[in-house]
Amino acid sequence: MGFDKSKPLHVHIENASSLMPVFIVRPDQYEKALARHPDVAERISTTWGEDGDIYAREAKTADAMITYRFPYQTLATDAPNLKLLQVLGAGVDYLLPLDWVPAGVTVLTNSGAHVPKASQSALMALLMLNARLPELNWSQRKHEWNRVFTSTLEGKTLLIVGVGAIGAGAARYAKEFGLEVLGIRRSGRPQPHVDEMHPPEALHALLPRADFVLANTALTPETHFMFGAKEFGLMRKGAGFANMSRGGLVDPAALDAALRGGHLSGAVIDVTYPEPPGKDWPYWDTPNLLITPHVLSDDIENYVPRTLDLFFNNIRNYFDGKPLTNQVDLGRAY
């Protein structure tokens, strides 16, 4: 069923009060976005729901929806007119498998909204690994005066596994600090700040070349635990590892072993498996491991505004019959 151009396109925003602020659309943010896109604003109407209070009523006529948490398994019957589903995240692994997506519905992510903050955080992780801060922090916890001296980043090699928008941003900073950058992406397409781009099957051949490895790829059934004992064993002794994407990319027991055995000098992870980990999670006290609670990619001020800009640009493209950006490939699950 196509969109009736004689009526405003109905956008429904479904918030969940239990989520962190970065995953909640505020009215003031939305109004400012409408002002930035007046041509779109005049052709849409918006309803606001929270915790399912009016979801059953408004979903029936919604043409588009912005949300993070919603009853996706019943979306086909709940929202029969839906055309566009904008999720407030760059990944859809929390919605897998995607067999619930109704025919005719395009699922959109906010890939790109994270780039400025996540790119800076990736640089921070590299600087921390290079300075051996995970090791120094572990020494502090043990009350040990462990004087570790290191060199600068120049001339060292970074492998970025997953050169999407964030990976490309990390590569730009890496080149500014004098690193050689190796990249892996499914398409194999070159990227201006990556010295060598390779397909995913080159991972094992590239790991021994890297001083630092940054995991930044999507979590799919194919990439689950893609970093395990074999992969860490292939890395250079003394190399550093960072994961800023999804915890399920890494076997935590294998990372623990690589750090306890001294093969890796340190690791910085912004994500865990499971997430969040329980208080009895056995890897809270892995030596030379710095853990942050999935906060390094999301800009508290600009995450939602950037997402709304992506969404309104796609609405404009939808009105004009142009291709949409950030479409989820249901076959690839990202």
Side-chain angles (χ1 to χ4, degrees), residues 34 37-44 312-313 315-316 319:
L34 291 173
H37 303 271
D39 59 318
V40 175
E42 66 183 13
R43 300 181 64 183
I44 66 175
F312 284 133
N313 283 330
I315 291 292
R316 182 181 295 108
F319 285 147

Side-chain angles (χ1 to χ4, degrees), residues 81-311:
N81 296 321
L82 196 68
K83 314 296 186 305
L84 305 174
L85 176 64
Q86 174 70 63
V87 296
L88 290 166
V92 292
D93 48 282
Y94 73 107
L95 297 171
L96 295 180
L98 298 176
D99 54 3
W100 55 267
V101 178
V105 173
T106 299
V107 182
L108 306 169
T109 72
N110 68 354
S111 178
H114 305 72
V115 170
K117 175 70 181 295
S119 300
Q120 292 181 18
S121 294
L123 174 61
M124 177 183 69
L126 291 173
L127 290 168
M128 293 171 71
L129 290 169
N130 188 62
R132 305 279 284 272
L133 279 181
E135 179 180 350
L136 295 172
N137 177 259
W138 182 250
S139 297
Q140 177 187 343
R141 291 171 63 181
K142 296 190 296 178
H143 301 181
E144 293 179 357
W145 190 250
N146 179 22
R147 303 183 74 194
V148 178
F149 294 93
T150 59
S151 60
T152 60
L153 284 172
E154 284 85 354
K156 297 179 181 179
T157 300
L158 166 66
L159 171 61
I160 302 176
V161 183
V163 185
I166 294 173
R172 178 172 66 85
Y173 280 122
K175 293 305 296 180
E176 290 178 1
F177 277 75
L179 284 153
E180 179 187 15
V181 180
L182 311 177
I184 289 178
R185 69 191 313 182
R186 182 183 291 271
S187 69
R189 292 193 308 270
Q191 204 283 333
H193 304 292
V194 175
D195 298 294
E196 296 180 25
M197 189 69 76
H198 297 268
E201 54 266 27
L203 175 64
H204 288 173
L206 295 174
L207 286 171
R209 298 175 56 187
D211 297 291
F212 310 102
V213 175
L214 173 63
N216 201 59
T217 194
L219 177 61
T220 68
E222 289 73 30
T223 61
H224 179 73
F225 280 13
M226 68 180 297
F227 289 97
K230 181 174 183 178
E231 287 70 31
F232 291 127
L234 287 170
M235 290 174 62
R236 291 178 179 176
K237 183 174 175 56
F241 177 79
N243 183 11
M244 294 181 56
S245 185
R246 292 292 187 268
L249 297 174
V250 178
D251 178 350
L255 179 59
D256 176 83
L259 290 167
R260 287 187 185 276
H263 186 71
L264 299 183
S265 63
V268 176
I269 60 172
D270 187 46
V271 286
T272 63
Y273 182 85
E275 186 174 314
K279 291 185 180 297
D280 59 348
W281 192 54
Y283 310 111
W284 282 112
D285 295 313
T286 295
N288 304 341
L289 174 65
L290 280 177
I291 304 169
T292 52
H294 206 154
V295 295
L296 295 185
S297 295
D298 304 328
D299 184 330
I300 188 63
E301 297 295 332
N302 296 306
Y303 181 84
V304 169
R306 288 196 180 100
T307 300
L308 293 174
D309 285 337
L310 291 168
F311 175 71

Side-chain angles (χ1 to χ4, degrees), residues 57-70:
R57 182 184 74 216
E58 300 301 338
K60 289 180 181 178
T61 58
D63 300 293
M65 191 181 306
I66 305 173
T67 187
Y68 185 88
R69 184 173 294 162
F70 62 103

Side-chain angles (χ1 to χ4, degrees), residues 24-34 36 48 305 308:
I24 296 175
V25 180
R26 301 196 314 263
D28 63 303
Q29 296 170 322
Y30 194 75
E31 290 300 322
K32 290 177 181 177
L34 291 173
R36 292 194 298 272
W48 292 77
L308 293 174

